Amino acid sequence: MKLKTGYSDLTPTEGVDLGNTVKLNMTGKPIWSGLASLLTQLPLDIAAVTTAMSATGPGAAAQLAAADDALSITLGNLADGANKTANVTDADLAGTGFPQVKQRVQLTEPPPAPQNLRLRHGQMPGSVDGAVDPIPGGNIRSYEGQWALDANSGPWSDTLTFPNSRALRFTDLARGKDTWFRIRARNTIGAGPWSDPATIMVT
């Protein structure tokens, strides 16, 4: 487990709220004794932002921006220091109040077959546009498609590649024929199984 260390995206109010939570959770805890100077600086930075938020007149915006930057840096240094603290546990880190870095899910198998293949006539003669439901979990690198005049005996066409589940476009098809289509998804592990085929009369 790791704590997020970048906080420049927070609004001043969000930074103050996070700072107060962290101050309450970390101050006085023996595990964080090595971060004492930062924990001493934190309430000063919070106070500076709070003061700047109520300031008016020339220079008020610059004062707030500078105070907000200083608070963001202190929060980031505290989170980084917590991550690097010796013998720290996940429970210790979770107890700080800092948000965690989202862990990327390690893929171990190809994606499942796409569902709900929908077809419609394309804008150009001899073309068909399709879409499938997005596959939960993401990590899909591309979608692939084939067409055939007979879903059972084929032969299926060369495989075409599409960037996403809503951009399935087949062109240069024979007009006036019922044509079958099927789609599969590909991730870093490989290609998954084909979808159930769907058919449409090409115009």
Side-chain angles (χ1 to χ4, degrees), residues 41-198:
Q41 181 63 41
L42 181 60
L44 302 178
D45 290 341
I46 293 171
V49 172
T50 303
T51 300
M53 286 169 63
S54 59
T56 58
Q63 178 186 348
L64 178 56
D68 188 41
D69 285 346
L71 176 57
S72 297
I73 291 169
T74 298
L75 287 170
N77 288 339
L78 262 173
D80 185 54
N83 285 333
K84 295 175 179 176
T85 296
N87 302 317
V88 72
T89 66
D90 285 354
D92 292 329
L93 294 174
T96 63
F98 279 116
Q100 302 172 26
V101 174
K102 292 181 180 177
Q103 299 295 322
R104 295 194 65 166
V105 177
Q106 187 67 37
L107 297 176
T108 58
E109 58 187 26
Q115 301 295 312
N116 193 22
L117 174 56
R118 306 173 296 284
L119 303 169
R120 61 184 175 85
H121 298 120
Q123 293 183 342
M124 301 295 292
S127 67
V128 169
D129 292 340
V132 292
D133 293 343
I135 294 177
N139 296 310
I140 304 301
R141 303 191 75 167
S142 62
Y143 287 82
E144 298 175 347
Q146 291 181 327
W147 60 267
L149 298 179
D150 188 319
N152 294 316
S153 61
W156 289 94
S157 70
D158 291 340
T159 301
L160 302 171
T161 301
F162 311 105
N164 61 61
S165 63
R166 304 283 174 174
L168 315 178
R169 175 161 294 173
F170 298 85
T171 58
D172 299 323
L173 301 167
R175 299 170 64 185
K177 294 183 180 293
D178 287 321
T179 305
W180 292 86
F181 300 86
R182 64 184 186 180
I183 303 296
R184 67 184 180 186
R186 180 180 290 275
N187 61 17
T188 55
I189 303 299
W194 290 105
S195 68
D196 291 336

